[in-house]
Amino acid sequence: METIYPVNGVELCAETFGDPADPAVLLIHGASASMLWWPEQLCAQLAGRGRYVIRYDQRDTGRSTSYPPGRPGYSMRDLAADAVGLLDALGIDRAHVVAQSMSGGVALVLGVDHPARVASVTFVSTSTGADDLPPPSADMPRLGSPDFADRAALEEYVVQSAAAEMGPLFDAGSTRDLVRRDIERARDFEASLTNHFAMDFDGPVHGGFGDLSMPVLVIHGELDPLLPLAHGEAVRDAVPGASLVVLKGAGHGVPSKLWGEFVDAVIQHTGGR
């Protein structure tokens, strides 16, 4: 059941799966993505393997606090502080953090500035942001900006964006259903598609990837067109002792056809079972 938690002066919507006595796994999705992009069935698979799974809407997504489009009242460090505050609200001392794409930056801040709260980090489809890494594929379509006043056009824009990022294993039917629910559920979907790109991308106060002291796993799609595989390899190389799992045939993100491999990797990284 979804619950609204007051955290750091804002409201965060979260949902949990499994037994609170099991090791906690905190799922943080990427730019513009509400918690729905960690599908319920995937969360249930992780919970069924002995994990207490938390998914939540970051600011400006889903049912959490929203700001005027183009004027986010927060930075990446604030999003990391929200994650800590949510763990506090749930009574969780430490969690295994699994963060996708843009929110790899949130996980980095958590791991470096709040290490006592982080049992491990899994970076999914993310990057160090180094200048010498390859740009997005030239084959990715340029979709421009959506018409926020036209619900059908907005839905199509998000579906086509997801198709371009996820590549050959993209599931059109389930994604369209998710997008429809996401638009309907959001406080302000224009803010959702805008504000994460407008915020201050401040990093950790105390260091960078090389300062992560907890176990680190990198999961990256073999065919990621947005952040090519070299980005995932760079994250692995930047963290002493980190390991990399490459999802064969996957683009940006974790397609449903590879959930089994993803769950196996996360479970092994977070203690096995």
Side-chain angles (χ1 to χ4, degrees):
M1 182 176 67
E2 296 183 10
T3 302
I4 301 292
Y5 295 92
V7 173
N8 298 331
V10 301
E11 293 182 332
L12 298 181
C13 182
E15 186 173 21
T16 62
F17 302 79
D19 186 344
D22 286 335
V25 173
L26 180 69
L27 302 176
I28 312 176
H29 220 290
S32 302
S34 76
M35 68 180 182
L36 297 186
W37 291 85
W38 295 114
E40 181 176 351
Q41 301 94 321
L42 176 59
C43 295
Q45 287 187 29
L46 286 165
R49 298 279 293 274
R51 298 294 181 269
Y52 183 52
V53 179
I54 306 108
R55 66 175 186 173
Y56 72 105
D57 299 323
Q58 296 194 90
R59 302 189 197 196
D60 274 318
T61 69
R63 298 176 62 204
S64 292
T65 292
S66 187
Y67 296 78
R71 292 189 285 137
Y74 54 88
S75 71
M76 185 162 282
R77 287 180 195 162
D78 293 316
L79 297 185
D82 287 350
V84 173
L86 180 59
L87 293 180
D88 289 340
L90 292 168
I92 296 170
D93 292 331
R94 298 171 75 233
H96 298 279
V97 175
V98 179
Q100 182 162 319
S101 197
M102 177 208 78
S103 290
V106 177
L108 176 62
V109 175
L110 284 170
V112 174
D113 290 346
H114 307 276
R117 309 304 300 274
V118 180
S120 73
V121 176
T122 300
F123 292 106
V124 183
S125 303
T126 192
S127 175
T128 62
D131 292 338
D132 60 348
L133 290 170
S137 170
D139 295 332
M140 286 193 70
R142 299 183 181 277
L143 299 176
S145 299
D147 180 357
F148 290 101
D150 185 333
R151 178 65 66 90
L154 181 58
E155 174 188 314
E156 188 63 25
Y157 173 88
V158 180
V159 170
Q160 292 303 317
S161 296
E165 293 182 2
M166 296 190 72
L169 297 182
F170 171 72
D171 185 329
S174 63
T175 301
R176 186 172 295 279
D177 175 68
L178 189 160
V179 170
R180 287 173 178 165
R181 290 185 290 125
D182 210 18
I183 293 173
E184 181 66 29
R185 183 173 168 275
R187 292 194 186 189
D188 184 337
F189 202 71
E190 183 175 357
S192 295
L193 291 191
T194 303
N195 284 353
H196 283 176
F197 300 99
M199 71 175 173
D200 182 2
F201 283 78
D202 50 2
V205 174
H206 302 298
F209 284 95
D211 298 290
L212 292 169
S213 57
M214 64 288 300
V216 170
L217 172 66
V218 181
I219 299 178
H220 211 96
E222 175 190 27
L223 304 177
D224 190 332
L226 183 64
L227 298 174
L229 181 56
H231 290 254
E233 293 170 340
V235 176
R236 176 201 59 196
D237 294 344
V239 182
S243 57
L244 171 65
V245 170
V246 177
L247 297 179
K248 300 295 184 182
H252 192 70
V254 183
S256 58
K257 291 181 180 178
L258 299 181
W259 281 356
E261 293 180 36
F262 175 79
V263 169
D264 285 347
V266 171
I267 293 299
Q268 181 178 1
H269 181 59
T270 58
R273 186 171 156 183

